[in-house]
Amino acid sequence: MNKAKNPTGAGAIIALLIMAGAIGGGLLGQPSIGLLAGTGAGILIALLLWLRERKV
C-alpha cells in the first residue's frame, strides 16, 4: 500500500522568525541584524524540515 506523504510547509516558520528577529533586533537597537538573524534561522529550520521529510 502506498503511504501518502503530506509535506510540512515551512513558509509560516520563516515568516514568523523574520518578524520575531526584526522585533527582537528593534528592541536591542539593531533591527537589520535581527531581521537577518531571523531570516537565517528560518531558512535553517526550513532546510532541516526538508531534509527530514526527504529521507522518509
Side-chain angles (χ1 to χ4, degrees):
M1 196 184 302
N2 278 340
K3 184 178 175 184
K5 290 183 182 180
N6 293 324
T8 303
I13 294 170
I14 294 172
L16 289 173
L17 285 174
I18 289 172
M19 289 189 304
I23 292 169
L27 292 174
L28 297 173
Q30 296 292 329
S32 297
I33 293 174
L35 182 81
L36 291 174
T39 302
I43 290 172
L44 178 66
I45 291 173
L47 284 172
L48 292 173
L49 284 171
W50 177 70
L51 287 172
R52 184 187 72 175
E53 290 181 3
R54 189 171 170 230
K55 292 180 182 178
V56 174

